[in-house]
Amino acid sequence: MKTLLSLEHVTMQFGGVVAVNDLSMHVDEGEIIALIGPNGAGKTTAFNCITGVYEPTNGRISFDGSPIIVNHPAGKMKRLYGGLEHDMFANEKVLSPTPDEITKLGIARTFQNIRLFKSMNVFDNVLTAMHLRLKSNVFSSVLRIGYKEERAMRAETEKLLKEQGLWNHRDDKATSLPYGYQRRLEIARALATRPRLLLLDEPAAGMNPQETLELAAFIREIKEKYNLTVLMIEHHMDLVMGISDRVYVLDFGSLIAEGTPEEIQSNQRVIDAYLGVAEDV
Amino acid sequence: MDREKRNHLIRVFVAIALVYGLVAVLEFTLRPTSIIFTVLRKGAIYSLVAVSMNLLNGFTGLFSLGQAGFMLLGAYTYAILTMPTAVKESERVYRYYDALIHFDTGVLAGLIAAGLIAAVFAFFIGLPVLRLKSDYLAIATLGFAEIIRAVCQWDVLGPLTNGANLLREFKDLSRITLPFSDIPFPPTLFVFIVVGICILLIVLLINSSYGRAFKAIRDDETAAEAMGINLFRHKELSFVISSFFAGISGALLAMFQYTVQAQQFRTVLTYEILLIVVIGGIGSISGSCIASFLYIALSEWWLRGLDMGTFLGINAPDLFRSGFRRLVFSVIIMIIVLFFSRGIMGDKELSYERVRSFFKGRIHRKENAR
């Protein structure tokens, strides 16, 4: 299978704190991958590196075969750097795109604490996410010369909302929706950017077991329907074990295990990381 | 849904047509020196600046205080361009300098150039400034507005700006004619038409895909960026467009005042506009328009008596003397800001349904009281 996303020796250091240390992983096309780990393990930091919110201190991230983010320690960081593979990317060109450029490449994300556009209704929330494909410039957009494009965007929004079961809520304010629907809307909004890779940051946070089960089915369904590859951060083990093809486990910023859900469940290091190690004499 | 939308549009057009009809009727019936025209003209001009500021502060979430600077650029551009060449060369205006520009343009070209110059300056100012956030952006834009004003009064630029002296005898509101003729055009109607077109363009912008992107940035920058909206490009776009219309309103203000002097475009002007935006409701176009007419009517007309000795039939020249108006006015503004902190309209727009329910609520309350 073709590798869609790969991280090579990615390190993210804030001052003296190494939040992500020498993380290497790959996501193949059509997979559902889970990234798990105890609180503060650096999962969201890794997400923020992939999506361009943070500029990693060291390492290379490639998407669809070509490098999209490359960096190596420079300046003051050269002295401070506490990660591994110091010189590995020293001769490569630094690439640090902004999050919107990453999204345009086909990587969409959701957030751990839902971030919808508060003042807009459900319809406009999804419609806004299609702005990145808009071809008409501001003049023709204002004078409604390119209205055909706008109409196409509206039709696509309608289709997407109907598929996600949100059509009846289209005129509601996004923030007035029930929690589960807000999550769903956030995913629908991410889908509106037409991603190939979908990053979900704790999609089941705050959900009860029943809702979590529904979410698992939902993720599988959209994966098939939109030909997606999914990388998710999750704490709910039922969800992780139920739908992921492979699991990566982070602890204190470093990768401690990788494998199928069954392998992870019986991995001693993972159990130790989650439950703590007995200090026997 | 669509029918409702169409009805709504028809109502809006009828209401706007009525306003313009009323202005035209007033223009042909009342004395041209009537205070009503002062209120209407200045109110309309302030509406445009307030709406342009609302585009930036209310819809894009950028707290910028540079409006007066861009109005100044527009006013000077317009005055310099439309002043007849004969006047420029006759030493009636440029008494201490040799005028640099030896051509003059028509009113419309002057207005558009005023907007464009303001927009060009906004583009270059925006490059460094828009990377700042919230308060820092406000301070930086405020600083730039002051710098522009100071530079305008600089001797070296005298041949262009006439230094700290007045610019006058350009094509002001009393000199507007129908195109290609000498028939005078009703000045208040002219202001309303220009302002109307500009506000219509802003409304169209806000309801376009770009407008939605602006609102997304206001609501949540991180989420907007994650949805593929380039923050800097869209902020710059909003800043430039807002300044374009601020430039045009500056030109209109120059036409209204018959003279231009850098002194008039102090920071106080920006605060006045900010006040109007806040009173009208941040994020409401109709709110900004209503608030600016109310503001101008209050300060120029209804509270006049407080400075003149007689107010509401009370004659107290010792109390109601020059400056008392400002005091009362400040108190009124404080009351509004304290008790209507979301402004007259909040972030909603004026609509037939809202007006109807407002009055219905009144009647119901009265009936209940009985």
Side-chain angles (χ1 to χ4, degrees):
Chain A
M1 224 181 283
K2 206 175 135 208
T3 301
L4 191 61
L5 177 82
S6 72
L7 279 69
E8 295 163 75
H9 309 287
V10 170
T11 303
M12 181 74 233
Q13 184 172 348
F14 299 103
V17 180
V18 185
V20 173
N21 194 2
D22 196 33
L23 173 64
S24 294
M25 56 188 277
H26 65 98
V27 180
D28 293 340
E29 215 155 4
E31 273 186 317
I32 297 182
I33 302 290
L35 185 59
I36 64 170
N39 283 330
K43 307 181 294 290
T44 300
T45 308
F47 255 42
N48 283 338
C49 287
I50 299 170
T51 52
V53 177
Y54 297 148
E55 189 183 357
T57 321
N58 191 20
R60 174 166 60 198
I61 300 173
S62 310
F63 181 67
D64 201 16
S66 46
I68 53 170
I69 299 170
V70 182
N71 201 8
H72 54 82
K76 204 171 104 190
M77 205 25 104
K78 228 172 188 167
R79 200 159 37 77
L80 275 174
Y81 188 66
L84 300 164
E85 305 294 351
H86 197 292
D87 296 324
M88 190 159 181
F89 303 100
N91 298 322
E92 290 195 35
K93 208 178 136 213
V94 173
L95 289 174
S96 67
T98 50
D100 58 283
E101 288 167 316
I102 300 278
T103 309
K104 280 179 190 135
L105 289 172
I107 302 178
R109 73 172 292 182
T110 63
F111 294 90
Q112 190 173 347
N113 36 1
I114 302 176
R115 284 173 175 272
L116 292 167
F117 301 131
K118 294 184 280 294
S119 70
M120 298 185 203
N121 61 21
V122 170
F123 191 86
D124 282 354
N125 256 282
V126 175
L127 190 56
T128 305
M130 296 187 181
H131 180 72
L132 81 166
R133 285 196 303 280
L134 190 78
K135 287 199 185 63
S136 38
N137 60 29
V138 68
F139 294 105
S140 53
S141 196
V142 166
L143 300 174
R144 302 294 190 263
I145 295 168
Y147 203 70
K148 216 186 242 169
E149 205 179 2
E150 171 94 11
R151 207 172 293 149
M153 278 161 65
R154 285 178 181 274
E156 203 185 328
T157 305
E158 185 177 334
K159 188 168 154 256
L160 198 60
L161 284 177
K162 278 181 176 157
E163 284 167 358
Q164 307 300 331
L166 289 163
W167 181 243
N168 291 331
H169 296 283
R170 63 186 177 277
D171 290 328
D172 295 347
K173 235 184 189 179
T175 42
S176 71
L177 288 181
Y179 189 77
Y181 279 107
Q182 290 196 23
R183 282 266 171 224
R184 208 169 249 227
L185 175 59
E186 217 192 10
I187 295 176
R189 190 182 64 177
L191 290 177
T193 63
R194 285 197 203 152
R196 292 173 63 196
L197 175 66
L198 183 62
L199 305 183
L200 302 172
D201 196 345
E202 298 204 23
M207 285 187 176
N208 61 33
Q210 177 59 32
E211 286 172 326
T212 310
L213 273 179
E214 283 172 25
L215 183 76
F218 176 69
I219 292 174
R220 240 194 239 115
E221 186 194 317
I222 57 169
K223 188 211 128 184
E224 293 304 325
K225 197 166 202 167
Y226 301 97
N227 255 330
L228 291 173
T229 306
V230 179
L231 172 61
M232 63 174 180
I233 293 177
E234 195 40 77
H235 276 303
H236 285 60
M237 284 306 145
D238 327 346
L239 183 66
V240 172
M241 299 307 163
I243 64 170
S244 32
D245 298 313
R246 280 186 300 125
V247 180
Y248 285 93
V249 189
L250 276 183
D251 190 26
F252 294 112
S254 308
L255 199 61
I256 56 168
E258 173 204 343
T260 62
E262 293 75 33
E263 289 166 7
I264 294 297
Q265 266 169 321
S266 53
N267 185 311
Q268 192 55 45
R269 281 189 74 188
V270 177
I271 296 167
D272 289 348
Y274 267 90
L275 300 178
V277 188
E279 286 182 37
D280 41 14
V281 193
Chain B
M1 172 77 190
D2 267 337
R3 211 173 138 191
E4 228 172 76
K5 230 178 184 174
R6 202 186 314 142
N7 280 344
H8 176 73
L9 274 182
I10 290 171
R11 271 192 217 119
V12 169
F13 276 117
V14 169
I16 291 173
L18 279 178
V19 169
Y20 279 79
L22 186 71
V23 170
V25 169
L26 286 175
E27 194 108 64
F28 287 113
T29 49
L30 292 181
R31 266 181 308 121
T33 50
S34 167
I35 182 78
I36 288 182
F37 292 125
T38 310
V39 171
L40 285 178
R41 287 171 199 171
K42 207 171 171 189
I45 295 165
Y46 272 52
S47 297
L48 179 55
V49 216
V51 170
S52 80
M53 193 171 190
N54 213 339
L55 171 68
L56 207 55
N57 292 19
F59 289 94
T60 321
L62 295 172
F63 189 42
S64 150
L65 293 176
Q67 235 59 10
F70 297 115
M71 287 175 79
L72 177 142
L73 286 169
Y76 266 87
T77 308
Y78 178 82
I80 293 166
L81 281 182
T82 61
M83 191 186 296
T85 318
V87 177
K88 279 178 195 155
E89 287 165 355
S90 70
E91 294 199 355
R92 285 216 299 279
V93 176
Y94 287 96
R95 191 170 303 160
Y96 309 104
Y97 307 96
D98 295 322
L100 190 71
I101 290 177
H102 293 281
F103 62 89
D104 60 276
T105 65
V107 173
L108 282 185
L111 281 175
I112 291 170
L116 287 178
I117 293 288
V120 167
F121 270 78
F123 176 80
F124 288 108
I125 291 172
L127 289 180
V129 161
L130 288 177
R131 299 181 194 276
L132 302 171
K133 292 216 161 117
S134 61
D135 308 356
Y136 302 101
L137 175 66
I139 294 165
T141 45
L142 194 69
F144 268 109
E146 285 293 287
I147 291 169
I148 288 172
R149 188 172 60 82
V151 169
C152 234
Q153 295 169 308
W154 192 20
D155 289 347
V156 177
L157 288 181
L160 198 62
T161 63
N162 204 13
N165 309 314
L166 286 172
L167 283 176
R168 57 196 169 81
E169 294 194 39
F170 50 85
K171 293 202 178 71
D172 52 43
L173 277 185
S174 62
R175 290 168 224 237
I176 302 167
T177 55
L178 285 170
F180 311 114
S181 66
D182 288 332
I183 309 162
F185 193 85
T188 312
L189 195 61
F190 174 81
V191 173
F192 267 70
I193 289 172
V194 174
V195 168
I197 292 172
C198 291
I199 291 183
L200 176 72
L201 288 175
I202 296 178
V203 170
L204 285 173
L205 170 71
I206 286 167
N207 291 319
S208 74
S209 190
Y210 286 90
R212 282 192 298 272
F214 293 164
K215 284 184 236 171
I217 293 173
R218 170 193 67 185
D219 283 354
D220 194 322
E221 275 194 11
T222 314
E225 207 173 19
M227 292 303 120
I229 294 167
N230 186 320
L231 290 185
F232 182 72
R233 246 194 63 195
H234 285 84
K235 284 179 180 178
E236 180 87 10
L237 187 67
S238 173
F239 192 58
V240 166
I241 292 174
S242 166
S243 306
F244 176 81
F245 290 113
I248 289 187
S249 63
L252 286 173
L253 195 65
M255 296 174 84
F256 166 78
Q257 290 174 331
Y258 301 107
T259 59
V260 173
Q261 198 176 15
Q263 279 299 322
Q264 298 158 340
F265 298 91
R266 291 183 158 274
T267 323
V268 180
L269 182 63
T270 304
Y271 291 146
E272 266 185 322
I273 310 296
L274 181 65
L275 198 64
I276 289 172
V277 172
V278 171
I279 291 174
I282 292 176
S284 170
I285 301 284
S286 45
S288 292
C289 296
I290 295 169
S292 58
F293 280 105
L294 277 179
Y295 180 87
I296 299 298
L298 270 177
S299 65
E300 300 276 330
W301 187 14
W302 296 335
L303 297 182
R304 268 253 155 126
L306 290 174
D307 273 3
M308 307 291 223
T310 316
F311 184 66
L312 293 173
I314 305 163
N315 193 8
D318 287 342
L319 181 64
F320 296 162
R321 56 172 191 230
S322 207
F324 191 67
R325 177 173 58 157
R326 293 233 148 249
L327 187 88
V328 174
F329 198 54
S330 316
V331 173
I332 292 177
I333 286 165
M334 263 193 267
I335 290 172
I336 291 177
V337 172
L338 279 177
F339 294 101
F340 301 91
S341 53
R342 301 195 59 236
I344 301 172
M345 300 296 300
D347 55 2
K348 304 283 188 307
E349 293 299 338
L350 187 69
S351 69
Y352 173 68
E353 285 77 21
R354 280 176 68 86
V355 174
R356 203 176 55 175
S357 65
F358 177 78
F359 283 108
K360 257 196 181 163
R362 276 289 163 85
I363 293 163
H364 275 296
R365 250 177 280 153
K366 267 187 191 164
E367 277 170 358
N368 288 345
R370 270 179 211 156

